[in-house]
Amino acid sequence: MSSTAAPTAGTPVSAPTPTPTSPTSTAPAPAAPTPTAAEFAPLNIGPLQVWPPVVLAPMAGITNAPFRTLCREQSGGKGLYVSEMITTRALVERNAKTMQLIKFDPSEKPRSIQLYGIDPVTVGRAAKMISEENLADHIDLNFGCPVPKVTRKGGGSALPYKRNLLREILREAVGNAGGLPVTMKMRKGIDDDHLTYLDAGRIGAEEGVSAIALHGRTAAQHYGGTADWSTIARLREAVPAEIPVLGNGDIWSADDAVRMMRETGCDGVVVGRGCLGRPWLFKDLVSIFEGDVDYARPTFGYVAQAMVRHAQLLGEWLEDEARGVIDFRKHVAWYTKGFSVGSELRVRLAMSSSLTELAETLSQVEQEQCWPAGADGPRGRTSGNNRVVLPDGWLDDPYDCALPSAEAELDTSGG
């Protein structure tokens, strides 16, 4: 993926655009905690050492190679960036779309793949394939997806309720990974009456996972309400100290990341929706963990250049400019959140089909606008309080090891 000099914030946008890597601070940064340069340690995941202790959460349709490139550029190459979820069955069958999704940019070190599977044997085969074919340096397992079409078949965040099935999947993954570190990401449980995270964490530790990430919400909450960070603290207390515990949920700013680690004692953070349309959040995270509060507050001109570059990288990755721009459309609202753009231009941006069209439309927006107040807050999905759809009798026996239907292994992620 191409990379050139960084733009000056506020410069009118054109296509192709240079790499935006150092946004200019143009508005006051929020109050920050005391700098933390010596307060936290690197995150050790097996042989991998991650600094700062920050991980990009896998997000379906989002954390592909182009978006990971943008985030990694902002951080100066620091942190860990996980691929969007890969279904194990599609991987072992060498599905063409899946093989495209696991392509890493040559600059990506280490390479991290998240797998989703419901059959222990297939998960084991996928882990072995990744190891033997040198497809990645780290494997993460998804047990957090709350989407009804997955949980109704027993997959995603429904699966940890079946303790023995969870154990078999973890055992097959770790046993076939050939020494690659295997980690797991999960939620609190199905709902407040069926919490699974403590049992799941203990099982993961017993089966040799290298780290455990917990999203402090249940499947029923989806992305609504407030993440319960106290569960992250309880999980940290429940598993051996040598196994890192990572916290996830409601990290909208670098301050939130530090606050989570201080309040819960977790060893690192997993950042998801907070970086949507805001890859420079990873610059902020590096800054605060290295004892600085030099937060990115880009003008709209800088944001516009980042938008064009994102679309350009997608086109290069997909080998089709139009497809890249069309795929980028879903990012428009996140990048422009809080800026004065106008409804007509927003519609035109969301309908762009070429880099030139996207850049020309962006150039019609006032480029000198400062970073909007409140733009660092929640973004992305916020639905919650949903009834979790499960297979008939799923809750009857938490130790029953019957496999979910193969239909549970869908190309859907979240967590």
Side-chain angles (χ1 to χ4, degrees), residues 137-359:
D137 306 301
H138 162 234
I139 298 171
D140 184 52
L141 298 175
N142 181 317
F143 300 108
C145 182
V147 176
K149 63 183 178 181
V150 171
T151 61
R152 71 162 44 96
K153 302 297 182 180
S157 52
L159 195 146
Y161 186 76
K162 299 296 189 182
R163 274 69 165 177
N164 290 337
L165 176 58
L166 175 68
R167 185 181 295 278
E168 287 194 18
I169 289 174
L170 292 171
R171 183 171 296 174
E172 286 292 325
V174 173
N176 285 281
L180 295 181
V182 175
T183 60
M184 60 188 291
K185 186 171 185 289
M186 60 185 179
R187 284 185 171 236
K188 289 168 53 178
I190 293 173
D191 52 36
D192 287 337
D193 294 324
H194 301 89
L195 300 179
T196 57
Y197 71 101
L198 291 177
D199 280 353
R202 294 187 188 103
I203 292 169
E206 291 166 2
E207 295 303 326
V209 299
S210 296
I212 303 169
L214 175 64
H215 184 159
R217 286 182 170 88
T218 63
Q221 286 181 274
H222 278 219
Y223 298 93
T226 302
D228 180 4
W229 289 3
S230 70
T231 57
I232 299 167
R234 285 195 285 274
L235 181 64
R236 175 60 287 171
E237 294 171 354
V239 300
E242 63 269 19
I243 299 176
V245 169
L246 288 71
N248 177 224
D250 295 352
I251 297 178
W252 309 114
S253 69
D255 291 354
D256 291 332
V258 169
R259 184 165 58 87
M260 174 185 277
M261 292 189 67
R262 286 174 169 164
E263 290 182 8
T264 69
C266 68
D267 305 280
V269 296
V270 180
V271 179
R273 293 173 296 152
C275 67
L276 295 175
R278 195 161 60 112
W280 42 86
L281 175 57
F282 290 93
K283 175 185 181 296
D284 294 351
L285 288 160
V286 171
S287 292
I288 197 168
F289 278 103
E290 296 190 346
D292 201 349
V293 288
D294 181 22
Y295 292 149
R297 295 291 178 267
T299 62
F300 185 80
Y302 181 91
V303 172
Q305 293 199 15
M307 292 172 70
V308 176
R309 172 159 169 77
H310 192 167
Q312 179 182 3
L313 288 172
L314 282 166
E316 293 172 0
W317 183 62
L318 294 169
E319 300 181 344
D320 185 320
E321 178 183 311
R323 284 182 62 201
V325 175
I326 291 170
D327 189 76
F328 176 74
R329 291 174 180 174
K330 60 177 172 279
H331 296 270
V332 168
W334 297 323
Y335 274 105
T336 60
K337 179 181 178 180
F339 285 105
S340 178
V341 176
S343 57
E344 180 182 349
L345 287 180
R346 286 185 187 276
V347 171
R348 287 173 56 189
L349 288 171
M351 296 297 291
S352 297
S353 55
S354 72
L355 287 173
T356 299
E357 182 182 2
L358 177 65

Side-chain angles (χ1 to χ4, degrees), residues 96-117:
K97 178 182 177 182
T98 298
M99 300 310 288
Q100 167 72 10
L101 290 176
I102 65 171
K103 286 183 179 179
F104 291 91
D105 185 80
S107 65
E108 291 193 70
K109 302 290 182 184
R111 301 161 300 163
S112 181
I113 285 181
Q114 188 186 67
L115 294 179
Y116 166 67

